[in-house]
Amino acid sequence: MAGPTIDALGQFSLTTGLGNLGRAVNFTNSNEAMLGAAAVIVAVFALGLKSKALVPGRAQSLVEMLYEFVHNMCVDTIGEEGLRFFPLVFTIFSFILLGNLLGLFPYFFAFTSHIAVTLALALFVFVFSTGVGFYTHGFKFLKFFVPSGVPTWLLPLLVPIEIISYLSRPVSLSVRLFANMTAGHVMWEVFAGFMLLLTASLGVVGAFASVVPLSLNVALAALELLVAGLQAYVFAILTCLYLHDAVHMH
Amino acid sequence: MRRISTALLLALAPSAALAEGTMPQMDFANPLTLDQVGWMAVILVVLYLLLSRWGLPEIGKVLEHRAGVIAKDLAAARAAKLEADQAVSQLNATIAQARSSAQAEVAKAVAEAKADAAAKAAVLASQLEAKLAESEARIDAARAAALAAIKPVAAEAASSILLKLTGSQPAEDKLAQRLDEALAARKAA
């Protein structure tokens, strides 16, 4: 049967971006989106820092709100020592947030829907926080895997569980973001494709019937906006939590 | 909500993946899948350097400056309030002092006036008493004079009455003695 089919996953396929130069160095379309996200962040900062007014304007308020939001998140979760990691957490948070948000626009690539990207970010957070733990506590950091106040005979059981749960952190961290973003975009594509299918197979009746998937997509847009912000927040707060564990060991 | 979307993904993705082959995200044979991570690292490092060296410290400075200005203004306001409170308490103290000194002044004036009046009254009383005594003395003298003046008249009247009644002249000294007795009895009554 000829006609439109639902290509739900085509939106995630990687191509090279930036023309011939990009093709030569394997600069992908997802990297284009990352560059866009970073450019938007820097542009918002430049705009917000233009006047440096005592009573901030709109752009300055936006940047200050973002700053204080992540700042408070760092201080509340990690403690005062968390301010060392504030620029890192801010970079990760703003990068993922902008990636999620820009990915919601049609024809924009959602790079957070790639497991390679989210896993790389999560592995970086994992390795970094583990490094901070060993840097702060030395080999005493291994005590982190020995829960206190537990009978000795339970330890052979509990220590492997602790280690497995610790090692599963990057997996859950990366899959959570990847799955949420992929699911949202797949659903969008499926419902949109369904509209084309309805119209192609049922004609005028199908065109009217496609109001249903269209309204579903509108509702889904609101949900995806929420998910985009929420998942960036979850990633950042879990990063803070892991850093808290590394700094305080409990 | 997340669970729902994940469940939907699980329901939808396999069928779609079957239709299209595999998910592009899982296509690790494609060199682009891993190469994008390398470029992401480059972009993230640049973004991190820009934010940590320029963006965030600048925002921090703006916020710190604002906090400083607010703290300074608050301190100034507090100082002004303290000053005003001090001025008010000073004013109250001055008023209280003025009131007490005025009251003392009034009391002193009243006491002075009283003493003055008492002294004047005493002087007046003594003057009046003296006048009274003088008047009494004068009355006494007048009465004595009058009594003294009565005696010859009475003696003359008595001797003439006696002459008419008895035809003889009474003895001068006896008459005088009787008269004195009678006068003394009158005076006593």
Side-chain angles (χ1 to χ4, degrees):
Chain A
M1 165 187 128
T5 51
I6 299 179
D7 177 17
L9 295 169
Q11 57 179 326
F12 303 120
S13 53
L14 291 164
T15 56
T16 53
L18 295 184
N20 284 330
L21 184 70
R23 198 170 301 134
V25 292
N26 275 355
F27 193 89
T28 65
N29 51 352
S30 84
N31 295 133
E32 275 181 337
M34 292 173 192
L35 208 58
V40 168
I41 295 165
V42 173
V44 166
F45 265 82
L47 214 61
L49 282 167
K50 212 164 64 182
S51 59
K52 291 184 188 172
L54 195 62
V55 179
R58 262 183 246 178
Q60 198 181 331
S61 288
L62 177 68
V63 182
E64 285 179 7
M65 265 164 56
L66 264 176
Y67 179 100
E68 293 195 315
F69 177 68
V70 181
H71 194 272
N72 292 344
M73 185 159 71
C74 278
V75 173
D76 293 347
T77 315
I78 317 178
E80 279 301 321
E81 309 94 320
L83 288 182
R84 274 185 295 160
F85 311 117
F86 168 56
L88 181 74
V89 175
F90 191 95
T91 306
I92 290 175
F93 174 70
S94 57
F95 186 66
I96 293 175
L97 180 67
L98 261 292
N100 290 351
L101 289 176
L102 287 181
L104 295 180
F105 288 92
Y107 300 109
F108 277 61
F109 193 91
F111 61 80
T112 42
S113 64
H114 262 260
I115 183 72
V117 169
T118 60
L119 188 62
L121 285 169
L123 276 177
F124 169 74
V125 168
F126 176 75
V127 171
F128 181 77
S129 60
T130 309
V132 166
F134 278 111
Y135 179 80
T136 314
H137 303 288
F139 279 103
K140 280 185 193 163
F141 184 60
L142 291 175
K143 271 194 197 159
F144 181 72
F145 301 109
V146 184
S148 59
V150 171
T152 323
W153 58 271
L154 260 178
L155 284 181
L157 190 67
L158 280 179
V159 170
I161 292 175
E162 288 283 328
I163 292 175
I164 290 170
S165 87
Y166 189 79
L167 290 178
S168 66
R169 280 175 172 186
V171 179
S172 65
L173 190 60
S174 59
V175 169
R176 184 181 298 113
L177 179 58
F178 151 73
N180 269 286
M181 298 315 292
T182 304
H185 283 78
V186 165
M187 283 198 289
W188 250 348
E189 191 77 41
V190 167
F191 285 132
F194 194 51
M195 289 165 68
L196 297 181
L197 278 180
L198 277 174
T199 318
S201 52
L202 298 176
V204 182
V205 180
F208 277 107
S210 47
V211 169
V212 177
L214 177 65
S215 49
L216 273 172
N217 257 3
V218 170
L220 212 55
L223 181 71
E224 284 307 305
L225 199 62
L226 178 72
V227 167
L230 198 67
Q231 287 307 316
Y233 174 71
V234 166
F235 200 99
I237 197 103
L238 283 173
T239 301
C240 287
L241 219 63
Y242 297 161
L243 285 169
H244 167 90
D245 285 348
V247 173
H248 297 288
M249 275 189 47
H250 56 73
Chain B
M1 170 186 59
R2 198 165 65 213
R3 212 162 283 162
I4 293 168
S5 54
T6 314
L8 263 173
L9 165 76
L10 290 176
L12 291 169
S15 55
L18 280 178
E20 292 299 313
T22 56
M23 290 175 80
Q25 290 101 317
M26 296 303 180
D27 184 11
F28 287 99
N30 186 354
L32 295 179
T33 305
L34 288 180
D35 285 347
Q36 65 172 339
V37 175
W39 282 110
M40 175 176 75
V42 174
I43 292 167
L44 270 180
V45 166
V46 173
L47 181 65
Y48 176 78
L49 289 178
L50 274 173
L51 289 181
S52 64
R53 297 284 155 85
W54 163 74
L56 296 172
E58 291 289 302
I59 296 290
K61 262 187 259 170
V62 169
L63 291 176
E64 214 166 282
H65 175 246
R66 180 176 308 143
V69 167
I70 288 172
K72 212 177 74 188
D73 288 358
L74 275 180
R78 250 180 235 124
K81 191 185 177 298
L82 204 70
E83 217 170 296
D85 284 351
Q86 265 172 357
V88 165
S89 64
Q90 210 172 350
L91 181 69
N92 282 340
T94 313
I95 287 172
Q97 203 187 344
R99 182 173 295 146
S100 69
S101 75
Q103 271 165 353
E105 202 79 12
V106 166
K108 205 173 98 184
V110 166
E112 254 171 35
K114 268 183 190 163
D116 203 25
K120 268 184 189 158
V123 167
L124 207 62
S126 69
Q127 269 177 3
L128 287 175
E129 225 146 282
K131 251 182 202 166
L132 204 64
E134 194 192 338
S135 305
E136 264 169 13
R138 246 201 332 242
I139 288 168
D140 280 351
R143 179 180 284 161
L147 283 176
I150 271 178
K151 212 166 134 184
V153 175
E156 209 181 270
S159 64
S160 66
I161 288 168
L162 281 174
L163 189 65
K164 280 215 176 138
L165 285 177
T166 59
S168 64
Q169 196 77 10
E172 285 262 333
D173 51 339
K174 221 176 176 176
L175 186 67
Q177 194 197 335
R178 282 290 171 97
L179 264 177
D180 280 341
E181 276 173 21
L183 276 175
R186 187 62 69 91
K187 211 181 237 175

